[in-house]
């Protein structure tokens, strides 16, 4: 007699297509050999599961909300969703393809993780990778096609109660730790820039950028060429790039505000958007480097005396135990420097982001590492695989993975000796601070709470002075009782002795306090 | 007025909407609804998988779509137009949208669409934003079915055409046919194929085609015919799968995975059987999908039997009428059926006719009555078993006309199980009216009807009728009825009814309930009087209580329990609570031993000795306690557990406080052991004893001694100092245990 048993609920998962939540075992649809999608509740016998007509189950599974196929391995994996946002031709597709290409090698070689692209992502990503390498010919002119607003290659069409809706196809990278066997997935989407420019005007049936409602991080791709002031400076400084000088329609800050409108609309309130971390990727960084617009400042290892430029090639470092870690200290320092550059030419972007999000990091990036060539045959911008040298293209991803503790972040700073520490700090709002440079009392640098929420000292650059200073962790700061002219509370840093004294007081106070957790029988 | 809209979507430095650039609408017909201009549609994009860095505009095969989206037919052609102003790929999409009215007006949308082919070529040259002028609907001649078929068979061959027509009409989920065409003649080949295939279909099904070079990605669910060029990624992929493919790229046309067509399918009937009327039928009745195939089969069958005899026509029409799903077809067959019903119906055709009437008529009763009125007498007198459909209809009709009264009740009862469910209650009420004096009959009626109103009537019986006889008492059905009647709360909410009961002698009513083994308060209705204040004292004098009926039962071996208790409890109290199941807890905490005692009447013993009703009374109480406390059943054990003891105490106190009613008699001995139990506070116990709500005893030398509340030594604080020998002496039951 067939055993009738209810299917256990399983874990809760989020569909990478429609972002609907469901339980992996009790709600996932099972695809039969006839192609039918069967609800688990309709299966009478789980020892020999079939649909009503006797067709057996395949290994394929579908989301109960959108009926689209979801990789079985992905169902058992924790996923984080990343929205990549940018204006048309800002380089989102190149960034996405290059990031995944580089991340695959970094995660496998440096972090010893297993990487795969499950489901339809494999096909989508391999197409991009094939294009990037140009079929093995390093001299061949290649390009990635412009991402369109529709098309069955990148979008899925779903009919919901008679209305056709379009969802973007996910690009999923799944990494597994061979030692712990834990898995983690990163899901991104490749949208046309036009969708973001008109984000606030998109119809409700167009779900192409609705991942903004569910994403765990927003990556904003900024094209320096589309900032008119910066483009003019680049041109003046002799940077040769065919894209320079082309006029741009919608400015990037307009696009950003349009996206923010949509995101707030989708999430319901600004507060719900506030906690989403944001990575601002300044594309085509190689052009800025060529134009000497990058404020470089070396870091000196006190133990070896070795000097490494802040904007070196990789955010990875190796600890004394031989483990590779993500140098988040370097990323924080770089973020401050890059933000300064961007603020100089388009302050509205920086201010808008600071007003809308708690944590914003700025990353320099060049997806290709070189300027494109104009193909005379068809007037298209192309590049040659031999010139492709991606620069820090994985930084946002590594930062997020380190933040989620999937990868190891940097521990105590090995560079923080022999530098003066900042002594004053003012609190701008619940998550934003301004720290005073020890070299110039009038210079206040914006930082967020994550800069202080560390256990150890970390280094920050004073870009104007081209010098480093130390930022003490949160426990070293005490309120000075003063307020700035703008009404912000001012904090004073404490010395180690003061901190020790403070700790002793707290300890003494706690000893004098009567505690109620003595063991039974003890006095 | 019908509308045809054109939209051109491409990437440009200037677009139709001022201030917009890059991808967007470049040109559109004046008056185009905004939703066609704003929305981002999937079909406006060009497949990029076949593009290379060297691809030039106009050199790549275009994409073609013919779909019906949100009720509008869309004809879309997307060309690759080279590089745009940003130096990247530029799609050039020309979309023609036919609204529903124009689709209905034009005889064949595909012919209309073909007319736009030339215009598509012209539009490719448009580069500046522009509002287009509305275009007149071209005049399109209808092509005859015969002509369509001939052309299509010549081009594709019978089997392939059948397969394509089947998949386009059935519209099953995730099923499509791929036709592979040579790339050399891509544009013309597509139109040629689409033109001949779609024209074989009724106009409303002339959509669901996609022709695309390169990778198709996921095929939309409404696309049933995919056309791909030779050696494209998709054609290679689909050839290696199990999907049906028709390869027209070489001279020898090849079919892969084409399955044998269904003989009922549109394709087979139109192409192989050459039922050319099919196209018009599908068009006339708006048939679609699997249901359409089924319905069209019935219509054709109807045409076939037109010249046959009446019986065959009637049978065919009735069968079809039940089976069809399309409303137009149903209406058509319905009128045919109605005309057939005007004649005398042979009795062997009755079942199928009745089914048809019940399935399709809005008010079938009248039609059934009319149909049965001719043959009612014959059917009633019919000796053999009737067809269930006819029998059901007949019974329903009979009962609706009160004719059932003519049928003897014994016969109705014997055939009760055959009565249709909706009618059962009515029949049951006729067989077993609630004013019947027979308890067994009423309980049968209750079982069969299961209706609330019936139980309410039965509840009245419970109050006013005669005592049940032995047969009724032993009948489980009667007991269920009584239990159900007691729990019909809404009925008892009526205070008048409650007064009827409470004004009667409660004792008598209690005895009445005892007949049905209903003795515990949990079984009795919630409104049942539980306190002195709610009891009419006139019926509760001691004279109504006979002490001799009380016996006690003890598992402890203590003698004289009954006498001791009765000597203490006044008559009035016994009269009030005598047979309510007094719980006696004798507690000797020295060994944790409890003695359960219960009163029982002689009637109990006489009626149900085997079940040991007195013990079961006690069990009721304890089970209730345990349910309250632990939510689980537990059989009564002579040795009370700590939980039982605590729960019993709590119960006694709660019940006494809430209802002001004696529920228990507590017998206690000196407590010598260290505290294991959660005893109530001394003041609480003293209060209870002083108020005479609980009667206390102490047990010494095997005898019960009543405790005066004023001098009680309950609880732990006032326990007398005891040594080990004293303890053993004072707890003789412990020895026994």
């Amino acid at each position: 007699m067939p055993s009738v048993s209810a299917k256990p609920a399983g874990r809760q998962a989020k569909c990478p297509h429609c972002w609907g939540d469901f339980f992996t075992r009790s709600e996932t649809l099972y695809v039969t050999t006839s192609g039918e999608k069967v609800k688990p509740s309709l299966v009478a016998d789980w020892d020999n599961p079939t649909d009503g007509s006797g067709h057996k189950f395949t290994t394929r599974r579908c989301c109960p909300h959108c009926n689209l196929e979801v990789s079985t391995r992905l169902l058992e994996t924790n996923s984080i969703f990343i929205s990549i946002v940018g204006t048309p031709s800002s380089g989102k597709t190149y960034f996405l393809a290059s990031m995944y290409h580089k991340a695959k090698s970094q995660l496998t070689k440096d972090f010893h993780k297993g990487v795969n692209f499950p489901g339809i992502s494999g096909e989508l990503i391999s197409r991009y990778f094939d294009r990037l390498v140009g079929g093995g010919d390093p001299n061949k002119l290649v390009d990635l096609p412009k991402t369109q607003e529709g098309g069955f290659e990148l979008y899925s069409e779903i009919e919901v109660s008679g209305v056709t809706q379009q969802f973007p196809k996910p690009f999923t990278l799944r990494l597994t730790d061979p030692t712990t066997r834990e898995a983690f997935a990163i899901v991104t989407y490749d949208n046309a820039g036009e969708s973001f420019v008109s984000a606030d005007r998109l119809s409700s049936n167009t779900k192409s950028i609705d991942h903004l409602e569910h994403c765990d991080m927003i990556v904003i791709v900024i094209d320096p060429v589309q900032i008119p002031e910066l483009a003019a400076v680049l041109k003046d400084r002799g940077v040769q790039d065919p894209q320079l000088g082309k006029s741009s329609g919608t400015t990037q800050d307009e696009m950003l505000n349009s996206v923010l409108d949509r995101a707030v609309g989708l999430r319901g309130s600004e507060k719900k958007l506030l906690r989403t971390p944001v990575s601002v990727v300044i594309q085509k960084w190689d052009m800025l480097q060529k134009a000497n617009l990058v404020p470089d400042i070396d870091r000196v290892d006190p133990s070896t005396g070795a000097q490494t430029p802040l904007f070196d090639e990789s955010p990875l470092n190796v600890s004394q135990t031989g483990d590779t870690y993500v140098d988040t200290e370097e990323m924080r320092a770089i973020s401050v420097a890059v933000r300064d550059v961007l603020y100089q030419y388009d302050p509205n972007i920086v201010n808008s982001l600071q007003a809308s999000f708690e944590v914003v990091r700025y990353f320099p990036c060049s997806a290709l590492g070189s300027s494109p060539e104009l193909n005379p045959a068809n007037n298209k911008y192309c590049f040659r695989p031999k010139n492709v040298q991606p620069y820090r293209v994985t930084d946002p991803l590594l930062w997020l993975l380190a933040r989620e503790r999937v990868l190891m972040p940097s521990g105590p700073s090995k560079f923080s000796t022999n530098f003066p520490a900042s002594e004053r700090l003012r609190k701008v709002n619940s998550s934003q601070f301004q720290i005073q440079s020890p070299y110039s009392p009038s210079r206040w640098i914006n930082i967020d709470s994550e800069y202080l929420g560390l256990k150890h000292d970390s280094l920050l650059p004073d870009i104007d002075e081209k010098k480093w200073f130390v930022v003490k962790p949160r426990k070293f700061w005490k309120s000075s009782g003063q307020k700035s002219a703008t009404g912000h509370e001012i904090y004073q840093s404490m010395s180690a002795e003061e901190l020790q004294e403070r700790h002793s007081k707290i300890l003494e106070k706690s000893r004098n306090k009567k505690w109620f957790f003595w063991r039974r029988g003890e006095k | 007025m019908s509308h045809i809209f054109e939209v051109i979507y491409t990437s440009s430095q200037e677009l139709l909407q001022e201030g917009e650039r890059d991808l967007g609408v470049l040109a559109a017909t004046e008056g185009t609804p905004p939703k066609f201009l704003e929305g981002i549609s999937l079909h406006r994009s060009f497949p990029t998988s076949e593009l290379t860095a060297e691809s030039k505009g106009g050199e790549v095969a275009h994409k073609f779509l013919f779909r019906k989206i949100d009720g509008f037919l869309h004809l879309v052609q997307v060309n690759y137009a080279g590089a745009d102003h940003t130096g990247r790929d530029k799609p050039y999409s020309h979309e023609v949208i036919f609204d529903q009215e124009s689709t209905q007006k034009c005889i064949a949308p595909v012919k209309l669409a073909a007319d736009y082919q030339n215009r598509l070529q012209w539009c490719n040259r448009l580069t500046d934003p522009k509002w287009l002028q509305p275009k007149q609907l071209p005049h399109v001649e209808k092509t005859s079915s015969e002509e369509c078929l001939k052309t299509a068979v010549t081009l594709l061959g019978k089997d392939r055409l059948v397969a394509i027509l089947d998949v386009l009409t059935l519209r099953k989920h995730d099923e499509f046919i791929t036709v592979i065409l040579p790339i050399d003649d891509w544009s013309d080949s597509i139109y040629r194929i689409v033109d001949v295939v779609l024209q074989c279909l009724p106009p409303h099904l002339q959509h669901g085609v996609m022709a695309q070079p390169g990778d198709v990605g996921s095929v939309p669910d409404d696309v049933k015919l995919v056309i791909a060029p030779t050696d494209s990624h998709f054609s290679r992929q689909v050839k290696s799968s199990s999907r049906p493919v028709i390869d027209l790229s070489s001279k020898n046309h090849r079919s892969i995975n084409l399955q044998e067509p269904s003989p009922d399918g549109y394709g087979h009937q139109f192409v192989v059987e050459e039922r050319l009327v099919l196209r018009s039928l599908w068009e006339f009745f708006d048939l679609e999908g699997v249901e359409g195939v089924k319905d069209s089969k019935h219509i054709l069958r109807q045409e076939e039997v037109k010249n046959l005899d009446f019986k065959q026509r009637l049978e065919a029409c009735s069968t079809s009428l039940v089976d069809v799903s399309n409303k137009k077809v149903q209406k058509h067959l319905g009128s045919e059926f109605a005309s057939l019903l005007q004649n005398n119906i042979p009795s062997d055709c009755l079942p199928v006719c009745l089914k048809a009437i019940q399935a399709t008529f809005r008010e079938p009763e009248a039609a059934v009555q009319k149909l049965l009125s001719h043959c009612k007498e014959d059917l009633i007198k019919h000796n053999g078993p009737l067809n269930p459909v006819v029998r059901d209809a007949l019974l329903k009709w009979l009962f609706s006309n009160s004719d059932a009264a003519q049928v003897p009740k014994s016969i109705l009862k014997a055939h009760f199980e055959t009565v249709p469910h909706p009618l059962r209650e009515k029949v049951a009420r006729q067989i077993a009216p609630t004013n019947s004096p027979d308890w067994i009959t009423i309980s049968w009626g209750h079982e069969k009807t299961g209706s609330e109103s019936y139980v309410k009537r039965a509840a009245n019986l419970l109050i006013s009728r005669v005592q049940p006889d032995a047969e009724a008492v032993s009948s489980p059905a009667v007991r269920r009825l009584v239990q159900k009647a007691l729990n019909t709360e809404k009925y008892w909410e009526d205070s008048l009814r409650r007064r009827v009961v409470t004004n009667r002698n409660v004792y008598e009513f209690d005895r009445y309930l005892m007949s049905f083994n209903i003795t515990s308060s949990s079984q009795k209705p919630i409104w049942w009087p539980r306190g002195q204040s709610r009891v009419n004292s006139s019926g509760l004098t001691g004279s109504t209580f006979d002490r001799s009926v009380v016996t006690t039962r003890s598992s402890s071996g203590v003698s004289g329990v009954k006498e001791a208790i009765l000597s203490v409890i006044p008559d009035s109290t016994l009269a009030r609570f005598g047979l309510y199941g007094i719980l006696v807890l004798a507690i000797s905490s020295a060994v944790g031993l409890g003695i359960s005692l219960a009163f029982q009447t002689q009637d109990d013993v006489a009626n149900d000795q085997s079940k040991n009703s007195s013990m079961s009374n006690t069990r009721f109480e304890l089970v209730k306690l345990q349910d309250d406390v632990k939510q689980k059943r537990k059989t009564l054990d002579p040795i009370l557990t700590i939980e039982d003891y605590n729960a019993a105490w709590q119960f006694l106190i709660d019940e006494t406080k809430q209802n002001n009613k004696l529920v228990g008699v507590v017998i206690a001995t000196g407590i010598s052991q260290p505290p294991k139990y959660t005893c109530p506070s001394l003041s609480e116990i003293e209060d209870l004893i002083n108020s005479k709500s609980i009667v206390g005893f102490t047990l010494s030398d095997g005898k019960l001694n009543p405790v005066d509340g004023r001098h009680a030594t309950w609880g732990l604080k006032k326990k007398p100092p005891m040594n080990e020998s004293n303890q053993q002496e004072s707890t003789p039951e412990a020895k026994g245990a």
Side-chain angles (χ1 to χ4, degrees), chain A residues 1-5 40 42-50 57:
Chain A
M1 188 178 166
S3 65
V4 179
S5 58
L42 300 177
V43 178
D45 179 14
W46 277 105
D47 291 339
N48 183 24
T50 56
F57 283 5

Side-chain angles (χ1 to χ4, degrees), chain A residues 34-37 60 88-91 93-94 123 127 131 140-153 155-157 159 162-166 169 192 194-195 198 201-203 205-206 208 243 246-250 374-375 377-382, chain B residues 9 11 13 19-24 38-57 63 65 67 69-70 78 80 82-91 173-174 210 212 214-223 233 237:
Chain A
S34 66
E36 290 291 316
K37 291 160 187 172
R60 293 159 61 201
S89 75
S90 58
T93 307
Y94 280 103
E123 202 182 315
R127 197 183 298 156
R131 291 237 182 186
K140 189 182 172 186
L141 276 174
V142 292
D143 72 330
L144 290 182
K146 174 179 167 58
T147 310
Q148 298 173 78
E149 284 185 293
F152 303 114
E153 287 168 322
Y155 295 85
S156 306
E157 195 177 82
E159 197 172 309
V163 181
T164 311
Q165 296 183 341
Q166 293 125 31
K169 287 184 180 173
E194 285 84 353
S195 303
S198 56
R201 299 193 301 274
L202 284 181
S203 75
N205 294 329
T206 306
S208 54
Q243 290 169 302
K246 296 248 177 186
S247 65
S248 168
T250 315
L374 194 66
N375 188 347
N378 55 9
N379 285 333
K380 271 169 68 174
Y381 289 129
C382 304
Chain B
Y9 175 91
S11 176
Q13 212 156 0
E20 284 191 357
R21 52 184 287 144
D22 304 319
L23 283 172
E38 288 172 0
I40 297 167
S41 65
L42 288 178
H43 42 251
R44 283 175 181 170
S45 66
F46 188 83
T48 53
S49 58
E50 297 294 295
L51 295 181
T52 64
E54 306 294 333
S55 301
K56 289 179 187 172
K63 171 181 155 184
L65 264 171
R67 295 178 71 192
I69 302 168
D70 301 338
V78 192
Y80 175 65
D84 69 351
H85 59 286
T86 61
R88 299 189 306 158
D89 303 308
K90 174 182 176 181
H173 173 74
D174 199 32
M210 178 167 78
Q212 184 165 322
D215 187 13
V216 174
S218 51
V219 176
D221 206 30
D222 64 319
V223 169
H233 176 76
Q237 199 181 0

Side-chain angles (χ1 to χ4, degrees), chain A residues 295-312:
Chain A
D296 216 348
I297 170 170
D298 288 344
R299 293 205 298 176
V300 183
D301 190 336
S303 57
T304 60
Q307 285 192 349
T308 49
L310 176 61
F311 290 92
D312 57 359

Side-chain angles (χ1 to χ4, degrees), chain A residues 43-248:
Chain A
V43 178
D45 179 14
W46 277 105
D47 291 339
N48 183 24
T50 56
D51 65 354
S53 319
H55 295 109
K56 292 200 168 181
F57 283 5
T58 62
T59 53
R60 293 159 61 201
R61 303 283 182 271
C62 290
C63 163
H65 304 291
C66 62
N67 285 14
L68 291 173
E69 196 168 330
V70 183
S71 160
T72 318
R73 289 178 86 186
L74 205 58
L75 289 174
E76 301 299 325
T77 310
N78 286 328
S79 302
I80 51 171
F81 293 80
I82 302 175
S83 296
I84 302 176
V85 172
T87 49
S89 75
S90 58
K92 293 179 294 300
T93 307
Y94 280 103
F95 168 71
L96 173 67
S98 190
M99 179 179 76
Y100 272 179
H101 196 260
K102 184 80 178 173
K104 189 179 176 185
S105 68
Q106 276 182 340
L107 291 170
T108 49
K109 287 177 189 167
D110 297 321
F111 291 100
H112 313 294
K113 307 279 185 193
V115 172
N116 71 318
F117 301 101
I120 53 168
S121 309
E123 202 182 315
L124 294 170
I125 290 166
S126 68
R127 197 183 298 156
Y128 282 0
F129 286 1
D130 290 347
R131 291 237 182 186
L132 277 176
V133 297
D137 183 358
N139 278 316
K140 189 182 172 186
L141 276 174
V142 292
D143 72 330
L144 290 182
K146 174 179 167 58
T147 310
Q148 298 173 78
E149 284 185 293
F152 303 114
E153 287 168 322
L154 290 177
Y155 295 85
S156 306
E157 195 177 82
I158 302 161
E159 197 172 309
V160 182
S161 27
V163 181
T164 311
Q165 296 183 341
Q166 293 125 31
F167 289 89
K169 287 184 180 173
F171 288 70
T172 311
L173 181 146
R174 183 175 179 272
L175 57 105
T176 43
D177 190 323
T179 52
T180 60
R181 290 181 180 157
E182 283 176 355
F184 198 80
I186 297 139
V187 186
T188 57
Y189 303 89
D190 188 16
N191 290 109
E194 285 84 353
S195 303
F196 296 113
V197 169
S198 56
D200 52 342
R201 299 193 301 274
L202 284 181
S203 75
S204 57
N205 294 329
T206 306
K207 308 283 181 189
S208 54
I209 61 165
D210 282 9
H211 43 77
L212 285 167
E213 184 185 351
H214 307 274
C215 66
D216 302 296
M217 180 171 83
I218 300 174
V219 175
I220 298 166
V221 178
I222 299 289
D223 182 7
V225 174
Q226 292 185 29
I227 302 172
E229 291 82 2
L230 184 54
V233 172
L234 290 170
K235 211 170 181 182
D236 288 348
R237 297 204 178 189
V239 175
Q240 299 292 319
D241 192 288
Q243 290 169 302
L244 274 175
K246 296 248 177 186
S247 65
S248 168

Side-chain angles (χ1 to χ4, degrees), chain A residues 332-340 354 422 424-428 431-449 451-452 459-471 477:
Chain A
R332 283 193 297 273
I334 284 178
S335 176
V336 169
V338 173
R339 186 185 57 203
D340 272 13
Q354 194 174 340
S422 173
R424 279 163 78 83
L425 177 81
R426 59 188 184 198
K427 190 177 182 180
V428 181
S431 58
Q432 302 284 338
F433 297 88
Q434 287 179 331
I435 195 162
Q436 192 182 43
S437 165
Y439 304 109
S440 166
S442 62
R443 182 163 167 76
W444 294 87
I445 298 160
N446 286 320
I447 55 172
D448 56 54
S449 54
Y451 282 76
L452 300 174
L459 280 184
L460 266 192
D462 183 336
I463 302 296
D464 289 350
E465 297 289 332
K466 294 205 170 183
K467 286 179 184 171
W468 294 95
F469 65 93
V470 175
V471 179
W477 295 96

Side-chain angles (χ1 to χ4, degrees), chain B residues 278-320:
Chain B
L278 205 67
R279 186 164 158 240
S280 328
L281 286 179
W282 277 66
E283 182 183 345
F284 182 78
F285 289 112
D286 270 341
L287 300 182
E288 202 165 340
V290 183
E291 300 295 325
V293 170
K294 194 178 72 186
D295 291 355
S296 68
K297 187 182 144 195
H298 284 301
I299 303 165
L300 289 174
R301 166 87 180 133
Q302 207 56 39
E303 296 296 315
E304 278 173 8
V305 298
K306 246 179 186 172
N307 298 324
L308 300 179
D309 65 345
F310 173 74
K311 196 178 165 186
Q312 280 172 310
R313 277 166 60 199
L314 185 67
E315 271 182 350
C317 190
S318 324
T319 318
S320 300

Side-chain angles (χ1 to χ4, degrees), chain B residues 335-375:
Chain B
S335 60
E336 175 80 13
F337 182 63
S339 67
L340 288 171
L341 282 184
Q342 301 299 323
N343 305 303
N344 275 335
I345 308 295
S347 60
D348 52 343
C349 286
L350 273 179
V352 70
C353 285
L354 285 169
K355 266 188 187 174
I357 289 172
Q358 282 162 359
T360 54
F361 278 53
R362 204 173 278 176
E363 289 171 357
E365 285 78 15
V368 169
Q369 189 176 349
K370 197 175 171 187
L371 189 66
L372 291 178
S373 59
H374 299 301
C375 48

